[in-house]
Amino acid sequence: MTTEDFIIALFIRIDDVMKGIHKHSQAKLYPSEIVTLGILFSLKGVGNRAFYRWVKRDWLLWFPKLPERTRLFRLLKTHRDWTNRFLAEPTVLGVVDSYGVELLHPCREGRGDKQIGKKGYSNRRWIVGSKVCCLLNQKGLVCDWDCATANVHDALFHPLIQSFEDRMIVLADHGFHSKQGDPKNLKICKPKTWNVRMIVETVLSMLTTICHLKRVTHRTWEYFKARLAFTMAAFNLLIQWHGLQPLS
């Protein structure tokens, strides 16, 4: 499949999900075009300047009313809630895990007052950045997500798990256990049990290799959250591209 065919097929799938959201009378881009650009940005895995040069150089024919670069990314930040339409439905069993995203090299920690990342431990190394919590259903699709600085404990994401209390039993490792108590639907699993690590490790590996999410260059929380939102939407779209075989 060529890049042109991929973008067309991606837009068609996005447009089907975005039905019911109408274009503002003063807007240049349709909602489906904005989401398509946001998902392409997350898949490209580069900075906003490099992505904008790529779109303007190669694909301006498909997006003839492409706004100026900073305005485009403000649109992605403003309309990131549209990506909630692409989140998956919960299943009886689910799994949750956290994922470290490096926003700054550790040697540059504390050099500026506006740094949004904090120092934390991820994948057996210290990073300065954020911790992203992904809640997956039994099919490996993202049902919801949240993020915080890298120095927080995984128990901070208990409200995310608790929001599915009546719909999903969530499996997790000991990092999500809290002495103050766990959500009723959280089940802490011992290592090498329930065979859930295969699902979550595969998902996190795909986010790293395809979306290059392990290290990004955002410097404000709102733009960073927008990047995460479109990345999760892109992941669910790609997983379901040719259908997903249920677990046996």
Side-chain angles (χ1 to χ4, degrees), residues 16-244:
D16 289 338
V17 179
M18 296 296 292
K19 290 180 179 178
I21 299 182
H22 303 287
K23 176 178 176 291
H24 192 276
S25 59
Q26 296 179 340
K28 294 183 178 180
L29 296 175
Y30 283 88
S32 299
E33 292 180 301
I34 295 175
V35 176
T36 300
L37 287 168
I39 288 180
L40 288 175
F41 173 54
S42 67
L43 293 177
K44 193 68 174 175
V46 295
N48 55 11
R49 293 178 183 273
F51 171 75
Y52 189 82
R53 287 195 302 267
W54 174 71
V55 173
K56 189 173 183 180
R57 183 189 68 232
D58 298 341
W59 306 109
L60 191 61
L61 178 65
W62 298 109
F63 305 98
K65 295 184 178 180
L66 184 71
E68 188 266 337
R69 176 180 60 84
T70 57
R71 181 171 178 80
L72 171 62
F73 286 95
R74 284 198 300 270
L75 285 173
L76 299 183
K77 177 195 70 172
T78 303
H79 299 297
R80 69 180 175 91
D81 290 342
W82 286 345
T83 60
N84 293 336
R85 288 172 165 252
F86 299 87
L87 294 177
E89 291 295 324
T91 54
V92 176
L93 289 178
V95 59
V96 68
D97 202 359
S98 60
Y99 177 86
V101 178
E102 188 173 356
L103 297 172
L104 199 67
H105 195 280
C107 70
R108 300 184 64 86
E109 180 189 12
R111 293 191 181 184
D113 297 332
K114 297 182 179 180
Q115 295 178 2
I116 63 174
K118 299 295 183 181
K119 192 172 183 179
Y121 199 69
S122 174
N123 285 352
R124 302 179 182 180
R125 62 188 293 263
W126 290 97
I127 66 169
V128 178
S130 170
K131 181 179 288 187
V132 181
C133 180
C134 297
L135 181 60
L136 311 176
N137 64 15
Q138 191 173 350
K139 298 178 181 179
L141 300 174
V142 180
C143 296
D144 207 348
W145 62 274
D146 198 1
C147 67
T149 53
N151 61 326
V152 303
H153 191 271
D154 286 341
L156 180 73
F157 300 111
H158 278 181
L160 176 67
I161 301 171
Q162 199 167 9
S163 63
F164 291 85
E165 184 172 347
D166 298 328
R167 295 179 290 171
M168 179 189 291
I169 299 174
V170 181
L171 309 178
D173 57 29
H174 285 277
F176 284 84
H177 175 64
S178 174
K179 293 182 179 179
Q180 285 70 35
D182 298 328
K184 295 180 180 179
N185 60 326
L186 177 63
K187 178 177 178 58
I188 303 299
C189 301
K190 296 180 180 180
K192 300 181 181 180
T193 61
W194 287 84
N195 199 27
V196 297
R197 297 304 305 177
M198 181 62 68
I199 295 178
V200 70
E201 290 296 343
T202 300
V203 171
L204 299 183
S205 176
M206 293 176 69
L207 291 176
T208 301
T209 56
I210 297 176
C211 300
H212 306 282
L213 193 60
K214 202 64 181 177
R215 184 171 184 177
V216 296
T217 58
H218 300 284
R219 294 295 178 262
T220 61
W221 275 113
E222 292 303 317
Y223 286 96
F224 176 62
K225 289 180 179 179
R227 170 70 175 269
L228 292 177
F230 284 103
T231 300
M232 300 305 170
F235 176 82
N236 282 354
L237 274 174
L238 293 181
I239 287 297
Q240 301 176 89
W241 195 275
H242 295 294
L244 187 65

